mmCIF file of all heavy atoms in Angstrom:
data_model
loop_
_atom_site.group_PDB
_atom_site.id
_atom_site.type_symbol
_atom_site.label_atom_id
_atom_site.label_comp_id
_atom_site.label_asym_id
_atom_site.label_seq_id
_atom_site.Cartn_x
_atom_site.Cartn_y
_atom_site.Cartn_z
ATOM 1 N N VAL B 160 136.677 93.873 103.919
ATOM 2 C CA VAL B 160 137.236 94.514 105.090
ATOM 3 C C VAL B 160 137.256 93.530 106.231
ATOM 4 O O VAL B 160 136.372 92.671 106.360
ATOM 5 C CB VAL B 160 136.476 95.820 105.425
ATOM 6 C CG1 VAL B 160 135.022 95.601 105.654
ATOM 7 C CG2 VAL B 160 137.091 96.560 106.606
ATOM 8 N N ASP B 161 138.275 93.651 107.040
ATOM 9 C CA ASP B 161 138.452 92.756 108.163
ATOM 10 C C ASP B 161 137.329 92.972 109.206
ATOM 11 O O ASP B 161 136.943 94.089 109.501
ATOM 12 C CB ASP B 161 139.816 93.074 108.813
ATOM 13 C CG ASP B 161 140.202 92.054 109.828
ATOM 14 O OD1 ASP B 161 140.364 90.894 109.424
ATOM 15 O OD2 ASP B 161 140.294 92.411 111.030
ATOM 16 N N ARG B 162 136.783 91.890 109.688
ATOM 17 C CA ARG B 162 135.642 91.982 110.609
ATOM 18 C C ARG B 162 135.975 92.814 111.847
ATOM 19 O O ARG B 162 135.174 93.683 112.217
ATOM 20 C CB ARG B 162 135.239 90.563 111.064
ATOM 21 C CG ARG B 162 134.116 90.604 112.053
ATOM 22 C CD ARG B 162 133.675 89.228 112.459
ATOM 23 N NE ARG B 162 132.621 89.345 113.458
ATOM 24 C CZ ARG B 162 131.631 88.477 113.595
ATOM 25 N NH1 ARG B 162 131.548 87.447 112.825
ATOM 26 N NH2 ARG B 162 130.741 88.683 114.535
ATOM 27 N N LYS B 163 137.179 92.614 112.410
ATOM 28 C CA LYS B 163 137.547 93.358 113.597
ATOM 29 C C LYS B 163 137.534 94.859 113.335
ATOM 30 O O LYS B 163 137.073 95.651 114.158
ATOM 31 C CB LYS B 163 138.962 92.952 114.063
ATOM 32 C CG LYS B 163 138.995 91.670 114.866
ATOM 33 C CD LYS B 163 138.874 92.010 116.352
ATOM 34 C CE LYS B 163 138.369 90.898 117.229
ATOM 35 N NZ LYS B 163 137.132 90.248 116.798
ATOM 36 N N VAL B 164 138.045 95.243 112.174
ATOM 37 C CA VAL B 164 138.114 96.672 111.821
ATOM 38 C C VAL B 164 136.725 97.256 111.751
ATOM 39 O O VAL B 164 136.403 98.283 112.359
ATOM 40 C CB VAL B 164 138.818 96.880 110.478
ATOM 41 C CG1 VAL B 164 138.696 98.330 110.002
ATOM 42 C CG2 VAL B 164 140.279 96.480 110.558
ATOM 43 N N LEU B 165 135.833 96.542 111.030
ATOM 44 C CA LEU B 165 134.459 97.080 110.878
ATOM 45 C C LEU B 165 133.691 97.097 112.190
ATOM 46 O O LEU B 165 132.929 98.008 112.464
ATOM 47 C CB LEU B 165 133.739 96.245 109.831
ATOM 48 C CG LEU B 165 132.410 96.841 109.321
ATOM 49 C CD1 LEU B 165 132.658 98.207 108.672
ATOM 50 C CD2 LEU B 165 131.721 95.937 108.310
ATOM 51 N N GLU B 166 133.951 96.087 113.033
ATOM 52 C CA GLU B 166 133.301 96.067 114.343
ATOM 53 C C GLU B 166 133.650 97.344 115.109
ATOM 54 O O GLU B 166 132.802 97.953 115.751
ATOM 55 C CB GLU B 166 133.732 94.843 115.136
ATOM 56 C CG GLU B 166 133.004 93.584 114.742
ATOM 57 C CD GLU B 166 133.447 92.377 115.544
ATOM 58 O OE1 GLU B 166 134.544 92.439 116.178
ATOM 59 O OE2 GLU B 166 132.719 91.372 115.528
ATOM 60 N N GLY B 167 134.928 97.708 115.024
ATOM 61 C CA GLY B 167 135.338 98.946 115.722
ATOM 62 C C GLY B 167 134.713 100.176 115.112
ATOM 63 O O GLY B 167 134.254 101.082 115.819
ATOM 64 N N TRP B 168 134.597 100.185 113.789
ATOM 65 C CA TRP B 168 134.079 101.372 113.123
ATOM 66 C C TRP B 168 132.614 101.587 113.422
ATOM 67 O O TRP B 168 132.166 102.708 113.565
ATOM 68 C CB TRP B 168 134.293 101.239 111.602
ATOM 69 C CG TRP B 168 135.663 101.612 111.158
ATOM 70 C CD1 TRP B 168 136.635 102.135 111.930
ATOM 71 C CD2 TRP B 168 136.222 101.474 109.836
ATOM 72 N NE1 TRP B 168 137.791 102.318 111.195
ATOM 73 C CE2 TRP B 168 137.558 101.945 109.921
ATOM 74 C CE3 TRP B 168 135.728 101.025 108.615
ATOM 75 C CZ2 TRP B 168 138.397 101.975 108.798
ATOM 76 C CZ3 TRP B 168 136.552 101.056 107.499
ATOM 77 C CH2 TRP B 168 137.886 101.521 107.589
ATOM 78 N N ILE B 169 131.838 100.498 113.426
ATOM 79 C CA ILE B 169 130.407 100.723 113.650
ATOM 80 C C ILE B 169 129.998 100.413 115.104
ATOM 81 O O ILE B 169 128.810 100.451 115.421
ATOM 82 C CB ILE B 169 129.504 99.976 112.642
ATOM 83 C CG1 ILE B 169 129.667 98.462 112.810
ATOM 84 C CG2 ILE B 169 129.766 100.391 111.236
ATOM 85 C CD1 ILE B 169 128.692 97.731 111.966
ATOM 86 N N ASN B 170 130.976 100.088 115.907
ATOM 87 C CA ASN B 170 130.748 99.926 117.325
ATOM 88 C C ASN B 170 129.695 98.847 117.625
ATOM 89 O O ASN B 170 128.750 99.067 118.366
ATOM 90 C CB ASN B 170 130.313 101.281 117.917
ATOM 91 C CG ASN B 170 130.418 101.286 119.428
ATOM 92 O OD1 ASN B 170 131.289 100.600 120.006
ATOM 93 N ND2 ASN B 170 129.565 102.049 120.080
ATOM 94 N N MET B 171 129.867 97.670 117.031
ATOM 95 C CA MET B 171 128.944 96.566 117.276
ATOM 96 C C MET B 171 129.764 95.290 117.275
ATOM 97 O O MET B 171 130.774 95.194 116.625
ATOM 98 C CB MET B 171 127.929 96.454 116.135
ATOM 99 C CG MET B 171 126.709 97.344 116.295
ATOM 100 S SD MET B 171 125.673 97.061 114.853
ATOM 101 C CE MET B 171 124.090 97.390 115.590
ATOM 102 N N GLU B 172 129.229 94.262 117.968
ATOM 103 C CA GLU B 172 129.933 92.995 117.997
ATOM 104 C C GLU B 172 128.947 91.844 117.905
ATOM 105 O O GLU B 172 127.736 92.078 118.007
ATOM 106 C CB GLU B 172 130.698 92.869 119.318
ATOM 107 C CG GLU B 172 132.019 93.659 119.303
ATOM 108 C CD GLU B 172 132.739 93.552 120.635
ATOM 109 O OE1 GLU B 172 132.122 93.091 121.627
ATOM 110 O OE2 GLU B 172 133.903 93.952 120.688
ATOM 111 N N GLY B 173 129.468 90.681 117.705
ATOM 112 C CA GLY B 173 128.663 89.458 117.797
ATOM 113 C C GLY B 173 127.461 89.437 116.871
ATOM 114 O O GLY B 173 127.527 89.839 115.711
ATOM 115 N N GLU B 174 126.362 88.981 117.422
ATOM 116 C CA GLU B 174 125.164 88.787 116.601
ATOM 117 C C GLU B 174 124.608 90.092 116.070
ATOM 118 O O GLU B 174 124.117 90.194 114.927
ATOM 119 C CB GLU B 174 124.074 88.054 117.403
ATOM 120 C CG GLU B 174 124.297 86.569 117.414
ATOM 121 C CD GLU B 174 123.190 85.849 118.201
ATOM 122 O OE1 GLU B 174 122.084 86.428 118.301
ATOM 123 O OE2 GLU B 174 123.463 84.759 118.688
ATOM 124 N N ASP B 175 124.668 91.129 116.927
ATOM 125 C CA ASP B 175 124.206 92.431 116.487
ATOM 126 C C ASP B 175 124.944 92.876 115.206
ATOM 127 O O ASP B 175 124.339 93.322 114.250
ATOM 128 C CB ASP B 175 124.488 93.493 117.583
ATOM 129 C CG ASP B 175 123.557 93.317 118.764
ATOM 130 O OD1 ASP B 175 122.591 92.547 118.633
ATOM 131 O OD2 ASP B 175 123.832 93.921 119.827
ATOM 132 N N PHE B 176 126.272 92.703 115.282
ATOM 133 C CA PHE B 176 127.074 93.070 114.178
ATOM 134 C C PHE B 176 126.686 92.305 112.928
ATOM 135 O O PHE B 176 126.451 92.859 111.847
ATOM 136 C CB PHE B 176 128.562 92.804 114.514
ATOM 137 C CG PHE B 176 129.496 92.990 113.344
ATOM 138 C CD1 PHE B 176 129.923 94.272 113.004
ATOM 139 C CD2 PHE B 176 129.972 91.923 112.611
ATOM 140 C CE1 PHE B 176 130.766 94.483 111.929
ATOM 141 C CE2 PHE B 176 130.819 92.113 111.539
ATOM 142 C CZ PHE B 176 131.228 93.397 111.204
ATOM 143 N N GLU B 177 126.571 90.989 113.064
ATOM 144 C CA GLU B 177 126.222 90.155 111.900
ATOM 145 C C GLU B 177 124.852 90.539 111.356
ATOM 146 O O GLU B 177 124.648 90.617 110.147
ATOM 147 C CB GLU B 177 126.234 88.664 112.300
ATOM 148 C CG GLU B 177 127.655 88.181 112.498
ATOM 149 C CD GLU B 177 127.727 86.747 112.983
ATOM 150 O OE1 GLU B 177 126.701 86.024 112.885
ATOM 151 O OE2 GLU B 177 128.792 86.371 113.478
ATOM 152 N N GLY B 178 123.919 90.817 112.269
ATOM 153 C CA GLY B 178 122.602 91.245 111.864
ATOM 154 C C GLY B 178 122.672 92.526 111.029
ATOM 155 O O GLY B 178 122.101 92.632 109.931
ATOM 156 N N PHE B 179 123.424 93.508 111.539
ATOM 157 C CA PHE B 179 123.526 94.784 110.814
ATOM 158 C C PHE B 179 124.131 94.616 109.444
ATOM 159 O O PHE B 179 123.632 95.107 108.449
ATOM 160 C CB PHE B 179 124.363 95.764 111.663
ATOM 161 C CG PHE B 179 124.521 97.130 111.062
ATOM 162 C CD1 PHE B 179 123.520 98.092 111.214
ATOM 163 C CD2 PHE B 179 125.640 97.455 110.331
ATOM 164 C CE1 PHE B 179 123.654 99.348 110.632
ATOM 165 C CE2 PHE B 179 125.781 98.707 109.749
ATOM 166 C CZ PHE B 179 124.764 99.656 109.899
ATOM 167 N N VAL B 180 125.233 93.845 109.410
ATOM 168 C CA VAL B 180 125.967 93.672 108.143
ATOM 169 C C VAL B 180 125.074 92.943 107.123
ATOM 170 O O VAL B 180 125.005 93.336 105.966
ATOM 171 C CB VAL B 180 127.277 92.893 108.387
ATOM 172 C CG1 VAL B 180 127.854 92.404 107.078
ATOM 173 C CG2 VAL B 180 128.275 93.766 109.106
ATOM 174 N N ARG B 181 124.357 91.926 107.587
ATOM 175 C CA ARG B 181 123.560 91.128 106.649
ATOM 176 C C ARG B 181 122.259 91.801 106.264
ATOM 177 O O ARG B 181 121.893 91.889 105.097
ATOM 178 C CB ARG B 181 123.289 89.753 107.241
ATOM 179 C CG ARG B 181 124.548 88.891 107.339
ATOM 180 C CD ARG B 181 124.206 87.395 107.326
ATOM 181 N NE ARG B 181 125.433 86.605 107.298
ATOM 182 C CZ ARG B 181 125.970 86.044 108.392
ATOM 183 N NH1 ARG B 181 125.360 86.150 109.549
ATOM 184 N NH2 ARG B 181 127.100 85.352 108.288
ATOM 185 N N GLU B 182 121.556 92.286 107.295
ATOM 186 C CA GLU B 182 120.182 92.812 107.008
ATOM 187 C C GLU B 182 120.256 94.243 106.479
ATOM 188 O O GLU B 182 119.683 94.519 105.430
ATOM 189 C CB GLU B 182 119.356 92.830 108.304
ATOM 190 C CG GLU B 182 119.474 91.616 109.169
ATOM 191 C CD GLU B 182 118.578 90.482 108.672
ATOM 192 O OE1 GLU B 182 117.398 90.769 108.520
ATOM 193 O OE2 GLU B 182 119.080 89.359 108.454
ATOM 194 N N VAL B 183 120.925 95.104 107.204
ATOM 195 C CA VAL B 183 120.902 96.530 106.807
ATOM 196 C C VAL B 183 121.782 96.785 105.577
ATOM 197 O O VAL B 183 121.367 97.413 104.619
ATOM 198 C CB VAL B 183 121.323 97.430 107.967
ATOM 199 C CG1 VAL B 183 121.259 98.897 107.566
ATOM 200 C CG2 VAL B 183 120.426 97.182 109.181
ATOM 201 N N CYS B 184 122.999 96.267 105.632
ATOM 202 C CA CYS B 184 123.949 96.548 104.549
ATOM 203 C C CYS B 184 123.812 95.579 103.388
ATOM 204 O O CYS B 184 124.233 95.859 102.276
ATOM 205 C CB CYS B 184 125.379 96.493 105.015
ATOM 206 S SG CYS B 184 125.697 97.551 106.439
ATOM 207 N N GLN B 185 123.280 94.396 103.652
ATOM 208 C CA GLN B 185 123.154 93.351 102.667
ATOM 209 C C GLN B 185 124.551 92.895 102.156
ATOM 210 O O GLN B 185 124.756 92.689 100.979
ATOM 211 C CB GLN B 185 122.316 93.806 101.443
ATOM 212 C CG GLN B 185 121.043 94.474 101.835
ATOM 213 C CD GLN B 185 119.814 93.676 101.437
ATOM 214 O OE1 GLN B 185 119.734 93.230 100.274
ATOM 215 N NE2 GLN B 185 118.928 93.481 102.334
ATOM 216 N N TRP B 186 125.477 92.800 103.092
ATOM 217 C CA TRP B 186 126.791 92.294 102.766
ATOM 218 C C TRP B 186 126.890 90.847 103.302
ATOM 219 O O TRP B 186 126.044 90.413 104.043
ATOM 220 C CB TRP B 186 127.889 93.153 103.411
ATOM 221 C CG TRP B 186 127.901 94.578 102.965
ATOM 222 C CD1 TRP B 186 127.331 95.081 101.850
ATOM 223 C CD2 TRP B 186 128.478 95.681 103.668
ATOM 224 N NE1 TRP B 186 127.510 96.418 101.796
ATOM 225 C CE2 TRP B 186 128.235 96.837 102.888
ATOM 226 C CE3 TRP B 186 129.208 95.792 104.859
ATOM 227 C CZ2 TRP B 186 128.679 98.096 103.279
ATOM 228 C CZ3 TRP B 186 129.661 97.069 105.221
ATOM 229 C CH2 TRP B 186 129.402 98.203 104.435
ATOM 230 N N THR B 187 127.982 90.171 102.903
ATOM 231 C CA THR B 187 128.151 88.804 103.412
ATOM 232 C C THR B 187 129.406 88.709 104.254
ATOM 233 O O THR B 187 130.341 89.516 104.111
ATOM 234 C CB THR B 187 128.270 87.797 102.239
ATOM 235 O OG1 THR B 187 129.225 88.326 101.305
ATOM 236 C CG2 THR B 187 126.954 87.597 101.546
ATOM 237 N N ILE B 188 129.396 87.705 105.134
ATOM 238 C CA ILE B 188 130.585 87.486 105.960
ATOM 239 C C ILE B 188 131.156 86.140 105.598
ATOM 240 O O ILE B 188 130.441 85.130 105.620
ATOM 241 C CB ILE B 188 130.225 87.520 107.466
ATOM 242 C CG1 ILE B 188 129.582 88.862 107.794
ATOM 243 C CG2 ILE B 188 131.459 87.289 108.312
ATOM 244 C CD1 ILE B 188 129.040 88.954 109.192
ATOM 245 N N GLU B 189 132.438 86.096 105.224
ATOM 246 C CA GLU B 189 133.048 84.827 104.831
ATOM 247 C C GLU B 189 134.066 84.405 105.872
ATOM 248 O O GLU B 189 134.776 85.222 106.423
ATOM 249 C CB GLU B 189 133.741 84.968 103.459
ATOM 250 C CG GLU B 189 132.789 84.750 102.289
ATOM 251 C CD GLU B 189 133.479 84.833 100.966
ATOM 252 O OE1 GLU B 189 134.702 84.704 100.910
ATOM 253 O OE2 GLU B 189 132.765 85.090 99.977
ATOM 254 N N ASP B 190 134.141 83.104 106.062
ATOM 255 C CA ASP B 190 135.069 82.516 107.055
ATOM 256 C C ASP B 190 134.934 83.144 108.435
ATOM 257 O O ASP B 190 135.893 83.141 109.220
ATOM 258 C CB ASP B 190 136.549 82.658 106.607
ATOM 259 C CG ASP B 190 136.742 82.236 105.178
ATOM 260 O OD1 ASP B 190 135.976 81.380 104.700
ATOM 261 O OD2 ASP B 190 137.670 82.776 104.523
#
Side-chain angles (χ1 to χ4, degrees):
Chain B
V160 58
D161 191 62
R162 177 177 178 149
K163 279 268 157 309
V164 172
L165 193 60
E166 280 180 344
W168 279 353
I169 64 173
N170 196 30
M171 274 180 151
E172 281 178 348
E174 278 181 24
D175 288 347
F176 173 81
E177 288 176 16
F179 181 82
V180 166
R181 291 205 174 100
E182 317 279 306
V183 182
C184 306
Q185 313 246 312
W186 299 341
T187 48
I188 302 173
E189 275 182 21
D190 311 333

